[in-house]
Amino acid sequence: MKKSITLIPAIIIVGITFALRASNNMVITTLPLIARYDFHFSSILIGLVSSLAAIFAFVSSGFVNSRLNSRLRKKFFVGFAILYAIVFPLFYFSNPYNVWLLASFLGFAMGLVMPNLMTYAGMAEDQRTRERMLSLYTLALSTSLILGPFIESVVLLKVNLFQAFLVFSIFAAIVAVFSFTVKFPQDSKFQSVNVNVWRRTGFKLSIALNLMYAIPFGMLTTFGGIFAVESFKASYSLATALFGLFFATSFLGRLLLTINPPKNIWTPIWISGSLTIIGLLMVFLSPNLMFYIIALFILGIPHGLTYPVSLISLSRSFSIEERNVANSYFSAIMMGLSSFIPVIISSAVNFFGIRDSFALLLPVSVAFFVMVVWIYFNERSQAKERKQVITR
């Protein structure tokens, strides 16, 4: 793909991804605070309302988007991007009853928008260009996750949690505007491609990588702010700003992958697994706010590396015609995991407390890291055997 042609998709990817993730993350991190301190929900209810968006994103991505042909996906993509912009400001009027419906709809829209952005970012035929665009897509995610919390932190100095949704509705509107510019690959005869994603090692590796980090990340987004408020007496504004610090190191990892996509993905895999375990241990042991902030900095690095490496692994395992199906199922599984992770986490917090729940995540992350290592080296061994058979 020529530089003059790459620049336009790059601008589109950065614009719509930044706006979508900034607004969506604002809901993810702010809703638990509203549920706890305004609606007086229990830990179980906080987990349930936090999981609703992920449940409906799982449904729309796995059962709707993956089955649509290119023409219909474009229509659904634009239509739900517009509805996303319409519904977002309605959180200002949310109460303990309608918040369940609002969160559900927002999740359903996310499931139809996000996988198509992944597919659009990976449309380049040249592998290096494609992987740079995928890393740029994840870099835009990180940028939004850095600036978004800081913007909300400043906003919350002037307005309350409900009014903050009105300010972030600007980002939701940008999603709707940019949705008209996103292009879709033309599948043959406008039929969806049938592919068994689970037979591809790249897909299994991507899932295992995200399992390793999804639970700690779910714990941080659901209870990280509450932990800072209750353990270290942080204000709402500071608790929100801490997420920006977490995503700052995430940004650096994704910037590195954008500049220089890895030929061998083992190095970022090893770094992600090791630092996830170290970071969780530090959160559990944190005696003060500064120690907790350092732990967040460390945990931000695997967050920055895991997702782009997963997308690179997917892009290397599927053709452009197959990627919509692979991306849809990948997004659906991730959203499906996100849908019950807050429930499991909130149950653990209800019994053990927030601090001890971070300790319980350590053996879980270790187990999934072992799974990632096994999948990676098993595939390398099989690839070497296939190569030897061919050269005989």
Side-chain angles (χ1 to χ4, degrees), residues 24 48-58 103-104 106-108 335:
N24 175 253
L48 286 173
V49 75
S50 298
S51 70
L52 265 183
I55 291 173
F56 279 86
F58 164 76
S104 300
L106 220 64
F108 193 88
M335 292 298 181

Side-chain angles (χ1 to χ4, degrees), residues 25-26 29-30 33 142-157 161 168 220-221 224-226 228-229 234-249 289 292-294 296-297:
N25 187 67
M26 184 266 180
T29 57
T30 305
L33 293 173
S142 282
T143 305
S144 68
L145 295 175
I146 295 170
L147 297 180
F150 280 125
I151 293 171
E152 185 181 5
S153 179
V154 173
V155 167
L156 288 176
L157 294 175
L161 292 171
F168 273 74
L220 283 173
T221 55
I226 296 173
V229 171
S235 65
Y236 291 165
S237 177
L238 178 57
T240 304
L242 291 179
F243 287 104
L245 298 176
F246 167 80
F247 290 119
T249 48
L289 183 61
Y292 178 56
I293 290 173
I294 295 172
L296 290 179
F297 269 115

Side-chain angles (χ1 to χ4, degrees), residues 314-357:
L314 282 175
S315 72
R316 292 179 181 180
S317 301
F318 296 90
S319 67
I320 189 170
E321 293 83 8
E322 298 170 327
R323 280 179 211 144
N324 172 62
V325 177
N327 290 337
S328 294
Y329 280 119
F330 174 74
S331 294
I333 292 171
M334 290 302 99
M335 292 298 181
L337 291 170
S338 299
S339 67
F340 68 81
I341 284 174
V343 179
I344 295 175
I345 289 173
S346 61
S347 299
V349 169
N350 195 50
F351 284 103
F352 302 104
I354 298 177
R355 184 181 294 272
D356 290 342
S357 295

